Amino acid sequence: MAKGIIHYEVGEQVDVYLLIKSVTKGIASNGKPFLTLILQDKTGEIEAKLWDASPEDESVYVPESIVKVFGDISNYRGRTQLKIRNIRPVHQNDPVRVTDFLEVAPLKRDEMMEKITQYIFKMKNPNIQRITRHLLKKYEQRFFDYPAATKNHHEFISGLAYHVVSMLDLAKAIANLYPSLDKDLLYAGVILHDLGKVIELSGPVSTSYTLEGNLLGHISIMVSEISKAAEHLGITGEEVVVLQHMVLSHHGKAEWGSPKPPMIKEAEILHYIDNLDAKMNMMDRALEKVKPGEFTERIFALDNRSFYKPTFSQS
Amino acid sequence: MAKGIIHYEVGEQVDVYLLIKSVTKGIASNGKPFLTLILQDKTGEIEAKLWDASPEDESVYVPESIVKVFGDISNYRGRTQLKIRNIRPVHQNDPVRVTDFLEVAPLKRDEMMEKITQYIFKMKNPNIQRITRHLLKKYEQRFFDYPAATKNHHEFISGLAYHVVSMLDLAKAIANLYPSLDKDLLYAGVILHDLGKVIELSGPVSTSYTLEGNLLGHISIMVSEISKAAEHLGITGEEVVVLQHMVLSHHGKAEWGSPKPPMIKEAEILHYIDNLDAKMNMMDRALEKVKPGEFTERIFALDNRSFYKPTFSQS
Amino acid sequence: MAKGIIHYEVGEQVDVYLLIKSVTKGIASNGKPFLTLILQDKTGEIEAKLWDASPEDESVYVPESIVKVFGDISNYRGRTQLKIRNIRPVHQNDPVRVTDFLEVAPLKRDEMMEKITQYIFKMKNPNIQRITRHLLKKYEQRFFDYPAATKNHHEFISGLAYHVVSMLDLAKAIANLYPSLDKDLLYAGVILHDLGKVIELSGPVSTSYTLEGNLLGHISIMVSEISKAAEHLGITGEEVVVLQHMVLSHHGKAEWGSPKPPMIKEAEILHYIDNLDAKMNMMDRALEKVKPGEFTERIFALDNRSFYKPTFSQS
Amino acid sequence: MAKGIIHYEVGEQVDVYLLIKSVTKGIASNGKPFLTLILQDKTGEIEAKLWDASPEDESVYVPESIVKVFGDISNYRGRTQLKIRNIRPVHQNDPVRVTDFLEVAPLKRDEMMEKITQYIFKMKNPNIQRITRHLLKKYEQRFFDYPAATKNHHEFISGLAYHVVSMLDLAKAIANLYPSLDKDLLYAGVILHDLGKVIELSGPVSTSYTLEGNLLGHISIMVSEISKAAEHLGITGEEVVVLQHMVLSHHGKAEWGSPKPPMIKEAEILHYIDNLDAKMNMMDRALEKVKPGEFTERIFALDNRSFYKPTFSQS
Amino acid sequence: MAKGIIHYEVGEQVDVYLLIKSVTKGIASNGKPFLTLILQDKTGEIEAKLWDASPEDESVYVPESIVKVFGDISNYRGRTQLKIRNIRPVHQNDPVRVTDFLEVAPLKRDEMMEKITQYIFKMKNPNIQRITRHLLKKYEQRFFDYPAATKNHHEFISGLAYHVVSMLDLAKAIANLYPSLDKDLLYAGVILHDLGKVIELSGPVSTSYTLEGNLLGHISIMVSEISKAAEHLGITGEEVVVLQHMVLSHHGKAEWGSPKPPMIKEAEILHYIDNLDAKMNMMDRALEKVKPGEFTERIFALDNRSFYKPTFSQS
Amino acid sequence: MAKGIIHYEVGEQVDVYLLIKSVTKGIASNGKPFLTLILQDKTGEIEAKLWDASPEDESVYVPESIVKVFGDISNYRGRTQLKIRNIRPVHQNDPVRVTDFLEVAPLKRDEMMEKITQYIFKMKNPNIQRITRHLLKKYEQRFFDYPAATKNHHEFISGLAYHVVSMLDLAKAIANLYPSLDKDLLYAGVILHDLGKVIELSGPVSTSYTLEGNLLGHISIMVSEISKAAEHLGITGEEVVVLQHMVLSHHGKAEWGSPKPPMIKEAEILHYIDNLDAKMNMMDRALEKVKPGEFTERIFALDNRSFYKPTFSQS
């Protein structure tokens, strides 16, 4: 798997293993059925058409199975498409596993666990520390598996934990420059702010929204969770309301999903750190795909902007 | 107290009991201190100036105490003002109590209690019924005391319960015309939608926002309360999420404070019923103060509109 | 016609009568012409392709004619499509009429006429009553034929009258709860508010906008009509301006088409009743198509929201 | 009346005749009544305080009467104020009339009448010509008296007619450069576009909104008038709808009061001409009051902008 | 080339020379490559499919080359398409040149040059005159070649100069009616306002944005150019800042690209003249394509409006 | 000067030196002139009234002079006011200088100079380094004197340089965490982004906008300056356009003053760093004035929000 699927150019031939992400059946103008396959590896995905699909094809080529494909990269309405010449399901002997095709965070789970534990360990305010530790423990398994979103940024396995770790380091650097910031509050806000995503989202693969996700959203879910954690731990201090506010306000504005804007300094900074890390992730991933002197494709979550990579750029 | 304080016109003399709502001290251009008193009765409030205020005056004329005032109604920058000729605190013998000066709901507490109980009694879905009953019971005392808001609509004693009772009757009338509506859900939504105000607001008199009110708001507070109630009652059905959604979405749009818009039919209708009853209350109160052929003053919460009372109007 | 066309699933065979709603000619990649037919019955519509269309086919398969079709339901880019195996125009003997394929209001014309007449009959203000009766009479024929809109809500035969009847019942229920409302004004507003649609729209079938509809809109059309009716009837009272205002303001805001917002209480309530009935209609029609536990498709006119049908839902 | 009242500077003494525009009574901190007078001449207005006002003062100094005032120009919270030393009502012998104090258009009524008549005379389309002439005739008296607005632009006697005359000349100049424009339509649009103001506004002095003005607005009023004129004249051609559209759309956007945006080329140009003439009027009047190198005061109707008069400016 | 390509109707046969504007390769459902050609003449463009394209076809049919095509006009998804029966590249003997297929301004370069020179010649303020002349000279070559935009209005060869000439005539007509306008400033503003487009855009054919265009935009580019011109010419008067402001503010609002709104009267008028001329150009071009009684297609840059050509229209 | 003027509470007596920031003359209701003085020290400002002001008072108490005041702190309409009992101008012997009353940056000029020099020294790209050094040198004197704004944030002497130094440290911390960032570009952007303020603003004391500031703004000014610097230094590389873009886009959105949004990764980060440092400064200054458990006053530039200082806060 020398070269990722998104790096092939129109006209090249491919002979690779790929994971089927989704399948749709259609009827061609000649009246015969065909399958539209979305195939992926760690670098991204590509559409492929399997013409004249037999009923057997339909039963074999299903989502989350791996295929070996031989074909050509062509262009259809401005997007690359894989024209299949030959396709087969993998055998037991093929040296590939599903996880080979899924993107994962660049840090190992243990390292991330260790870093976050250190940040919690250093907290001095016991109420903040206990609530944070309790909720992380309650959802630990999923926290280290889930992506941070279904798309846009950190949409990979362990993306949620990786986003939190990056934000913690950023929070630390900023708090060192502005010592009036309450580090306990800021770190707890970082760790809890998106934890509700483990209830909002369906899981790390083929991620979709749960009913709670659709009807309540991760912010309201986590505000309730903090309330229940405090009740469970018998904590009644102002820290409870303030932590709920940190989570509630971290999207910054009502129209972005926060019914209250940040009204605590650390909440405002949390909103900034969250945005900064998410945007860096989006810009870096888009810029990786272009050469110096080119613009990236438009990034919807960044106001649909394209970004330019200067010709004098080193990276 | 034949005529309410807001019904006097410029040039009239008054000789009435009034409740002090607030007091501010100032220094006049002659260098002497004076007090700006906001005085109220059940019909509304008026500003009064007490010139050359002595230190004793300052200690006697304090908020929530009753005074007997003799003076003239004048006009200051387009608003009526009470020019005090004579003022004194009430004695034990004066036949007045603080509650004589506070506006209250037009229905008695018992009647409202009875009506709401009937609506809960008729619910068929046990999960919805139990959560609704539990939360109403938990905050019953305050629910029947509190106003529905600090201003704009139903801002009087028991205003919250009165608003809920009116909405229940409206919900029933609408559900009879559109039988596809789930009455249990709609009634529960009505009863719970603003219940968080008993935590958001400070109380029935001189109402202000609590810390929870400022940092979280009544919507998020009640979403957490439903979550805790369900945990406490051991209820895990979809009704829990749906009831949380009813409360969460009842302001209709993100910019109006609901992080999720209504995505259940009954939630959309709840939003309408809430708006309709609040607007009727605001319009009626403004129109009561004008004569046929006149416009009301501008109502901020109704997009700053004035309303016209037609000359052929009966009411 | 046991099952409506929208209820077939991909893979099923159909053998049904359908009405041709529209036809477009295209050229296939093999260079041969084909027809894209939009076919409909009372439940909705489906796209079908007639490949290798002969000039005769083009002359036979025209809009508003009925066809018998045999074919398969397939999926094309996420939408169902009818793959035609056999098609023929209907003969005289086929037991079908055009109106069998058009949706109509659930109430009979006579019943609706009777109800509206009763509402007008009960009006006490003669100016309001006469103008309302005059305009209804003037456009009676079309009023009972037209839909309430070209799409979104009540877009079926007699939809306009049906919308008005539902709103009148809602107006009555609300006026009973809030007795300060002027029933005459409210009922007249309901009856007249959308009457301009009989000039704005082209008719009950294949509804489009007329020139007046495009350049003036139903609101301005009806405001002029009231002015002319009053002149014709010799009525000069304030009721004329107030009724014009009811119609003018019933969309609620300038950006929704009302150059003046409601400035009469009954105008504000009319706007609410209109919205409520239209939204109930849209939500009910969308929810009918899904099962408990599912979301509806997005409804553009409801801010592009999907609605969820709870699993515990009875309807 | 050598120098207009707005041209005096703080510290100067004045001894002039002025017209009372409005009077408000207040009570000073010493308990004595005072009158706030808004006094005006052709150049503008100034606030004055009459301290220790007697009941006789109140009955003598009433709106629309003329006074002789001696006093000083001072500054109160950033605005000039006239400090009255001496004031008296005018006698029969004083050589002043009310109209001396009111601003009027710079063109005589006859000249304006003559110009507009010429424009109508040159129209070739009889339907457009007849409707325009009929409506101008119907409201001729008021058309040549009324201002074009209560404030912002052309808010002086005959302002409406003057605005129309300027716009006609502008329309002619533009139509000569872009010959595809239909001059008849454009001239008729100019003449009719604001004619509804003679019903929307109360009159040329102390102008306020009528009930029709408040509830319908001049645009809807004139759309109805065109409809009635066409009925009266027996004209049924497309010109009727197009003229109604010209008037309806001349504010350009829904949020500026036009329920339909311009959808005819001449309607779009009418909107431009209207704006251009109104803005020139506003800018010129504001710039007249400042010297080269200064900024004007903020002009609310021009997005609250200040305009700079360059030091190299000739005018 | 009797009839332009956009004037053919579905079903007609064509046998014409056309310029290839762009080419995209695709793979048909039969697995064979095909080319999508966008072909153009002076009147507009049409899409054509070349099925079963050979490698030689790919090397012959490239952008900016001319072809002779024989084929049929068909309809594909509501747009006309050219079905190619026969195509060949032009020979040396074919009597056509590339410029025959490009739209050009209706005025000759010399005439435009002469007109603009006259306007500059008449300027009285030497600072304004010298800066304007210097910059026009600096970019003269490109100024008379470039379009005024990549799409929307004046998107043809010499469109920029033609737009400026029309605006100068309009500016003159307006300044004659409102003599307080500073003609030097207004004319200079007109000439310089879009001159930055010669740096923002790539050139007169296949126009795209340059890096400066994308990252800075023509407004900022020209503001810098004026600054450099003044430094070069040793001019330091207020005219420099005022001219920069004219250019900077000519889009009228921040959201339309002007970081400062017009704050000089002539800047406001420049913004109007620019808009008026651009809109006239867009409306005329759209209306030319329809018959009386029809609506144009929607014009994106005019708020996506359609315009109606009245049946009584002469043009 | 033990305690700053803003730390006195209502009822306290003061006997302090203060600087006169501004003076306005008024006429009291007794007809006598008075002066409204805005007095300031390093901590902030207070309004004071000098009643019965003599002409001599007017000539003595002028802006930027120092006074000794004895008086009382009172409350006027919710704001503290200084009631003057005694006031005198300072004598030569009074141990105070104007700079004692002006707030200055917490870092010394030399330290800031040294830090910035280091950042420039470390740049590796010679084009970026030379342009940055040239422009800083050109405006060095003013750069270290000017505030960063007239209000909102860093509105003190050397505020501009201090803001830049804080941002450089923040830029370094962030670039260390996200190594793909181009440090040269980021540091140059930080140093140049607000440098145009030395032309936009009038100076460090009584700061107002210059004509260039009003008509062009600091962003456009600096974009021109970079253009001229590059021309002067003979630099033509892409760095010039990219640096101009960094400055041009640093307000992030058109409606915030940037005609182009950030389209370079470092430009996006510059926008963030600028915002973060400005907001920290505003929040810290507001929170310093309140005690734990209190809300700050509303901060206009932070969407008019109040911030809460938790009771468990250490700072």
Side-chain angles (χ1 to χ4, degrees), chain A residues 226-245:
Chain A
I226 295 172
S227 184
K228 288 195 286 191
E231 195 169 75
H232 177 83
L233 298 168
I235 295 173
T236 57
E238 196 173 283
E239 288 89 347
V240 182
V241 174
V242 169
L243 278 180
Q244 287 180 294
H245 175 73

Side-chain angles (χ1 to χ4, degrees), chain A residues 214-280:
Chain A
N214 270 312
L215 297 191
L216 304 178
H218 69 279
I219 284 186
S220 295
I221 289 168
M222 190 47 39
V223 170
S224 290
E225 285 290 321
I226 295 172
S227 184
K228 288 195 286 191
E231 195 169 75
H232 177 83
L233 298 168
I235 295 173
T236 57
E238 196 173 283
E239 288 89 347
V240 182
V241 174
V242 169
L243 278 180
Q244 287 180 294
H245 175 73
M246 296 284 289
V247 170
L248 191 68
S249 66
H250 86 267
H251 280 189
K253 284 196 179 177
E255 54 267 47
W256 301 332
S258 279
K260 293 282 181 178
M263 290 189 286
I264 302 266
K265 183 166 59 172
E266 287 76 13
E268 179 74 6
I269 298 307
L270 171 60
H271 168 58
Y272 260 76
I273 292 173
D274 187 20
N275 254 346
L276 187 65
D277 188 57
K279 292 193 170 178
M280 281 298 313

